[in-house]
């Protein structure tokens, strides 16, 4: 690109100066290293899922308990048989929503490492739709184990800059711009009757139209801990944010308000807003509860976990 300052500028502007390339990201995965990459939901912290030592680094880097299972990301349906056993309902959900923000928990093949599954007999699988994730997974050719690229318990990253704020220069980041969905994938456990483990980027209504009614499951999952996805500032989840703000201010406390909006739009900016508001140094963040439909379920789920992180 030498001699073409416009192209240089575009490259730096889009990918960021510290961004790694697709070719480098594949090489890092092949060598057993970690690379952060974009998906349509949030950025993931990826490692070759077939290398236990590589996968262990994810837990060390995140500060995540080792028995918490990871999602294996694949490029296409034809790869699933290497990892998991598909049922007819799994196939129907896969055909409806993959590639996309859905994770299926399925009976695992015996070859899948315990480092990935946390010793469970199941494995979480997702085929993401983000073009950069799809290109990475295709070029790599295997499964990429990846949790969200944040330190354990913290707000998930939806831009490359968020990932850098979590890990600094220690983790190379493949920059694919801001995530379009903004909250994590919906997780459905199909190891028994279809069960919702985590509301997310595909609405419960859309899933139930294919799977039939979902039950809830008590399968272990860190995303189901009461306290998770938390900013450092105390957070109040509210249906009357303005009134709560007036009351708290009259008690001498400083507040910042995050108003709800159209759910898909609100989901897209949720984590970036939580990160921005967290830096203001106010006493309390007040987040308006979203409508309880579509992506609103996922938004309210994340906000109530963030609220549970502190007592007020
Ligand atoms: O959108 C997403 O799902 C993002 C992107 C990067 O794909 N990933 C993500 O990963 O949110 P993580 O690790 O932050 O959350 C995955 C959740 C955890 O709560 C984990 O316990 C659950 O999936 N999970 C993974 N495998 C499981 C299994 N076999 N059984 C039950 N839960 C499982
Ligand atoms: Mg996470």
């Amino acid at each position: 690109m030498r001699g073409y300052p416009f192209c240089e500028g575009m490259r730096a502007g889009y990918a960021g100066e510290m961004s790694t390339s697709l070719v480098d990201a594949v090489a890092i995965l092949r060598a057993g290293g970690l690379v952060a990459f974009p998906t349509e939901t949030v950025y993931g912290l990826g490692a070759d899922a077939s290398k236990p030592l590589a996968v262990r680094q994810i837990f060390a880097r995140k500060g995540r308990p080792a028995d918490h299972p990871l999602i294996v990301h694949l490029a296409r349906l034809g790869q699933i048989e290497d990892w998991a056993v598909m049922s007819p309902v799994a196939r129907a959900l896969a055909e409806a929503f993959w590639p996309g923000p859905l994770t299926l928990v399925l009976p695992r093949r015996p070859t899948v490492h315990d480092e990935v599954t946390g010793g469970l007999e199941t494995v979480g699988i997702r085929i993401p739709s983000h073009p950069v994730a799809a290109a990475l997974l295709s070029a790599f050719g295997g499964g990429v184990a990846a949790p969200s690229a944040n330190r354990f318990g913290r707000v998930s990253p939806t831009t490359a800059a968020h990932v850098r704020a979590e890990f600094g220069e220690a983790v190379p980041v493949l920059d694919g711009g801001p995530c379009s969905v903004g909250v994590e994938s919906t997780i459905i456990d199909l190891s028994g009757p279809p069960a919702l483990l985590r509301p997310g980027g595909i609405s419960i209504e859309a899933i139930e139209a294919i799977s039939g009614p979902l039950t809830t499951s008590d399968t272990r999952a860190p995303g189901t801990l009461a306290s998770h996805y938390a900013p450092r500032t105390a957070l109040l989840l509210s249906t009357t944010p303005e009134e709560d703000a007036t009351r708290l201010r009259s008690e001498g406390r400083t507040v910042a308000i995050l108003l709800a909006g159209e759910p898909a739009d609100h989901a897209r900016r949720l984590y970036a807003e939580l990160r921005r508001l967290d830096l203001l140094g106010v006493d309390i963040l007040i987040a308006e509860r979203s409508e309880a439909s579509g992506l609103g379920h996922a938004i309210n789920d994340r906000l109530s976990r963030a609220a549970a992180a502190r007592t007020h």
Side-chain angles (χ1 to χ4, degrees), residues 42 62 64 147-150 153-154 156 184 198 223 228-229:
V42 300
K62 273 190 70 116
R64 170 164 163 144
S148 50
N150 53 279
R154 291 296 174 190
S156 301
E184 295 84 348
R198 179 177 73 183
H228 215 71
Y229 310 99

Side-chain angles (χ1 to χ4, degrees), residues 9 12 18 37 43 75 84 100 137 144 146 152 155-156 158 165 167 174 180 193 216 253 259 263:
M18 289 172 292
F37 65 99
Y43 276 70
L137 293 165
V144 172
F152 183 63
V155 177
S156 301
T158 53
F167 301 118
L174 188 56
S180 59
T216 47
R253 297 207 260 181
L259 291 175

Side-chain angles (χ1 to χ4, degrees), residues 25-167:
V26 171
I28 292 165
L29 290 175
R30 294 228 166 99
L34 299 184
V35 69
F37 65 99
T39 82
E40 67 278 21
T41 57
V42 300
Y43 276 70
L45 181 62
D48 182 346
S50 71
K51 289 193 170 72
L53 287 179
V55 173
R56 275 188 215 166
Q57 290 180 59
I58 293 176
F59 293 91
R61 184 59 69 190
K62 273 190 70 116
R64 170 164 163 144
D67 61 349
H68 285 174
L70 299 174
I71 296 170
V72 176
H73 298 72
L74 300 173
R76 31 171 231 286
L77 257 177
Q79 296 171 290
I80 298 243
E81 297 299 322
D82 295 341
W83 299 90
V85 182
M86 294 282 274
S87 61
V89 65
R91 208 158 283 286
L93 288 172
E95 276 163 18
F97 300 115
W98 277 346
L102 173 70
T103 296
L104 297 179
V105 171
L106 302 166
R108 70 156 164 176
R109 296 288 181 197
T111 45
V112 183
H113 295 290
D114 283 343
E115 280 79 0
V116 172
T117 67
L120 298 175
E121 286 309 307
T122 54
V123 61
I125 305 279
R126 178 159 110 78
I127 299 181
S129 65
H130 192 295
V132 175
L136 176 70
L137 293 165
S138 250
F140 176 63
V144 172
S148 50
N150 53 279
R151 283 175 299 113
F152 183 63
R154 291 296 174 190
V155 177
S156 301
T158 53
T159 67
H162 294 165
V163 180
R164 282 185 208 109
E166 294 289 317
F167 301 118

Side-chain angles (χ1 to χ4, degrees), residues 65 68 152-153 197 220-229 301 304-306 308:
H68 285 174
F152 183 63
L197 292 191
R220 191 173 37 140
T224 62
L225 292 178
S227 158
H228 215 71
Y229 310 99
D301 171 77
S304 53
R305 288 177 206 287

